[in-house]
Amino acid sequence: MLTRIDHVGIACRDLDATVAFYRKTFGFEVFHEEVNEDQGIREAMLRINGTDDGGASYLQLMEPTRPDCVVARFLERHGEGVHHIAFGSADVADALAGAVAAGVTPVIDGLRTGSMGSLVTFLHPKDCHGVLTELVQARAVDRPDETTPEAPIGSDA
Ligand code: CO
């Protein structure tokens, strides 16, 4: 069961300049920044709004940290722009199983760690009408028994 748009992933060449654009133009602030060495990106999550299920929606701005990563190759082919859309779920393994049962091919085997300690997987764009689709299980919201080093998403803390 997918309950929200968790984030829209946007490939950019200069993360700081792109963050500055979104702040100046729309007033969005950085909620979280991290480097994901596995994916070869430096990223900023800009929180747009909370949602009824206690989750939230973000823009994920991604700048490549090395030329051979997925986002660097995307920038070479397409330039800056929307790279993927991510849907939130309380059970990403179940959501993945449902998508596979519907005939969609995963891009990776199983689940990996995404932004802010989330669990994520990706579905192949060729099976999703051209859209690279990510499924996300947020850490603090959907697994509240686990501690998190940062402010829990959607909490009042
Ligand atoms: Co993403």
Side-chain angles (χ1 to χ4, degrees), residues 6-10 39 41 43 45 60 62 83-86 114-115 120 122 134 136:
D6 185 276
H7 63 269
V8 175
I10 296 172
Q39 294 180 34
I41 57 171
E43 64 167 58
M45 298 293 275
Q60 179 187 31
M62 306 176 294
H83 176 263
H84 65 273
I85 186 165
S115 304
V120 305
F122 292 89
E134 180 180 1
V136 179

Side-chain angles (χ1 to χ4, degrees), residues 22-116:
Y22 278 102
R23 179 182 291 126
K24 176 183 167 197
T25 309
F26 302 118
F28 298 149
E29 295 294 341
V30 173
F31 183 79
H32 175 83
E33 263 191 65
E34 70 181 70
V35 174
N36 186 321
E37 300 288 359
D38 182 42
Q39 294 180 34
I41 57 171
R42 187 164 79 93
E43 64 167 58
M45 298 293 275
L46 310 186
R47 185 177 162 125
I48 309 304
N49 65 284
T51 56
D52 290 344
D53 66 356
S57 296
Y58 303 87
L59 290 183
Q60 179 187 31
L61 307 179
M62 306 176 294
E63 175 196 277
T65 58
R66 56 174 193 261
D68 63 336
C69 73
V70 169
V71 171
R73 290 199 299 270
F74 177 89
L75 286 168
E76 270 176 33
R77 280 202 295 267
H78 305 287
E80 294 187 308
V82 173
H83 176 263
H84 65 273
I85 186 165
F87 297 112
S89 171
D91 187 340
V92 69
D94 188 58
L96 172 61
V100 168
V104 174
T105 308
V107 174
I108 57 174
D109 278 337
L111 307 174
R112 67 169 60 158
T113 302
S115 304
M116 298 180 282

